[in-house]
């Protein structure tokens, strides 16, 4: 992995995050096959079991990196608590405010939360490219939200004002915790910890924190084979496989870029709702999908002639890929890997 061109490395990371977002976009459609399972149970089984599986699959890298993980225990704990809170807030937000509003608040505002974290903690600036892409993606997600709200307004029971406001507040909590665990995992990976060890530790501990919630709320998951199959799918595919891909992506791109790329998730969810569930998407919704795709193109296309990244000083801006080769892959490397040094203020 050493010596890989920086542009190729960033493209690989972006593709991993996009693949993860496609898997995450299937969760809403999957949940429709288990309507009796509540949002807390869905969130707990998805991230809880998925996180424990990540830790089990990464026992070797975690044990080899134990001393480094202990040295950064505060970052690990912050990421784990965020992992535990995120699915409970996210699925409850969709339950209270509706799928469209819950998704647009939770996923659509996460890039802004990531950029704010990187700006305050790591002192990164905001690139014009990231701001253009984030604006396109946020506008596209809002259009998807409006289209879904318009489609579902006829005949369905509206949520109470208090429930909707609480759902929006929980969506903001979900966005903040998503940004926090993405930042925490990226920080560990860029501090000489392999991505599997970082993700396994953060998500494994987060899964442990979710076990009590699963024990209390997860009864309906075993009431039928369909419910059990939905829970198993959510844990294995979107969460286990999806977050493995997300961890590999975070080894190559900043958290703000990763969370912006994940705006593909609501677009995938909308398309699957049309193709699988049989919902109809108005023209505004398809326009929103197009804007999200344009956002992803702005972020993933190479910069400069021939895809060569421009030279910059030591300070990197939010939304820029890390220079040089992959920061860390899943194998052990000696310290001092190219690109692993923090920028100013990023201790």
């Amino acid at each position: 992995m050493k010596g890989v061109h920086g542009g190729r490395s960033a493209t690989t990371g972006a593709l991993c995050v996009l693949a993860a977002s496609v898997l995450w976009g299937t969760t809403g459609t999957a949940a429709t096959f288990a309507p009796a399972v509540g949002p807390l149970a869905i969130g707990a089984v998805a991230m809880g079991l998925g996180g424990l599986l990540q830790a089990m699959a990464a026992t070797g890298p975690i044990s080899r990196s134990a001393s480094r993980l202990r040295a950064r225990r505060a970052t690990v704990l912050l990421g784990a608590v965020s992992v535990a809170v995120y699915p409970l807030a996210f699925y409850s937000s969709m339950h209270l405010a509706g799928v469209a509003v819950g998704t647009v608040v939770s996923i659509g505002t996460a890039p802004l939360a990531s950029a704010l974290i990187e700006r305050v903690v790591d002192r990164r600036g905001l690139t014009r490219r990231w701001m253009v892409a984030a604006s396109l993606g946020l506008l596209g997600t809002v259009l998807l939200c409006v289209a879904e709200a318009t489609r579902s307004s006829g005949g369905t029971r509206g949520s109470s004002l208090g429930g909707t406001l609480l759902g929006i507040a929980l969506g903001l909590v979900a966005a903040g915790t998503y940004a926090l665990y993405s930042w925490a995992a990226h920080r560990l990976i860029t501090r000489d910890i392999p991505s599997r060890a970082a993700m396994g530790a953060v998500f494994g501990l987060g899964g442990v924190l979710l076990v009590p919630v699963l024990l209390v709320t997860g009864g309906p998951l075993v009431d039928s084979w369909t419910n059990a199959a939905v829970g198993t799918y959510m844990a294995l595919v979107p969460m286990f496989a999806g977050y493995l891909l997300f961890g590999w992506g975070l080894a190559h791109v900043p958290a703000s870029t990763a969370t912006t790329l994940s705006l593909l998730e609501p677009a995938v969810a909308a398309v699957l709702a049309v193709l699988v569930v049989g919902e109809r998407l108005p023209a505004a919704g398809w326009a929103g999908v197009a804007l999200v795709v344009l956002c992803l193109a702005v972020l993933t296309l190479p910069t400069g002639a021939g895809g060569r990244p421009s030279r910059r000083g030591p300070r990197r801006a939010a939304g820029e890929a890390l220079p040089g080769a992959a920061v860390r892959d899943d194998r052990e490397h000696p310290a001092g890997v190219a690109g692993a040094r923090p920028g100013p203020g990023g201790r």
Side-chain angles (χ1 to χ4, degrees):
M1 298 289 289
K2 294 179 182 180
V4 178
H5 191 277
R8 185 185 306 168
S9 173
T11 300
T12 299
L15 291 175
C16 287
V17 175
L18 290 175
S21 301
V22 171
L23 296 181
W24 297 337
T26 67
T27 58
T29 297
T32 63
F33 293 97
V37 182
L40 296 182
I42 287 288
V45 72
M47 292 288 267
L49 184 55
L52 293 175
L53 288 173
Q54 281 214 48
M56 292 171 60
T59 52
I62 289 174
S63 62
R64 291 191 293 270
S65 304
S67 61
R68 281 168 283 171
L69 289 167
R70 282 195 297 268
R72 302 195 178 276
R73 64 177 68 88
T75 303
V76 174
L77 183 59
L78 174 64
V81 171
S82 299
V83 163
V85 172
Y86 167 75
L88 307 180
F90 177 52
Y91 289 101
S92 296
S93 173
M94 290 192 294
H95 179 72
L96 290 170
V99 173
V101 175
T103 301
V104 72
V105 174
S106 302
I107 306 301
T109 60
L112 305 180
S114 285
L116 180 62
I117 292 169
E118 291 181 358
R119 177 69 172 171
V120 172
V121 179
D122 297 332
R123 300 181 187 175
R124 293 178 185 268
L126 297 177
T127 65
R128 183 177 303 174
R129 175 174 176 161
W130 181 89
M131 288 190 288
V132 169
S135 299
L136 289 171
L138 185 58
L139 177 59
T141 311
V142 168
L143 281 176
L144 278 170
C145 176
V146 171
E148 174 66 16
T150 301
R151 182 195 64 76
S152 61
S153 61
T156 59
R157 179 179 59 87
S159 301
S160 67
L161 177 60
T164 299
L165 292 177
L166 179 57
I168 291 173
L170 288 172
L172 293 174
V173 171
T177 50
Y178 175 29
L180 276 173
Y181 72 68
S182 300
W183 174 85
H186 180 263
R187 191 175 186 86
L188 293 171
I189 292 168
T190 56
R191 268 49 173 190
D192 201 34
I193 297 175
S195 64
R196 284 181 62 196
M199 296 294 285
V202 168
F203 280 77
L205 184 54
V208 170
L209 296 176
L210 283 168
V211 167
V213 180
L214 181 58
L215 292 176
V216 172
T217 64
L221 288 165
V222 296
D223 284 347
S224 70
W225 286 107
T226 300
N227 291 355
V230 169
T232 302
Y233 170 81
M234 298 277 274
L236 290 179
V237 180
M239 299 307 157
F240 177 62
Y243 277 101
L244 280 180
L245 290 166
F246 190 66
W248 294 336
L250 284 173
H252 302 279
V253 296
S256 56
T257 299
T259 52
T260 305
L261 290 169
S262 67
L263 290 174
L264 179 61
E265 177 185 346
V268 170
V271 172
L272 286 178
V274 172
L275 297 179
V276 179
V277 184
E279 296 181 354
R280 297 182 62 184
L281 191 64
W286 291 112
V289 171
L291 283 174
V292 169
V293 172
L294 182 58
C295 153
L296 304 177
V298 170
L299 275 182
T300 55
L301 288 178
T303 56
R308 296 173 59 113
S310 60
R311 290 194 170 272
R312 296 184 183 271
R315 173 171 292 187
R316 293 186 288 273
E320 284 186 316
L322 292 171
V327 176
R328 295 282 295 173
D329 66 6
D330 294 331
R331 299 168 295 178
E332 294 295 332
H333 292 295
V337 178
R341 294 183 177 276
R347 298 178 185 73

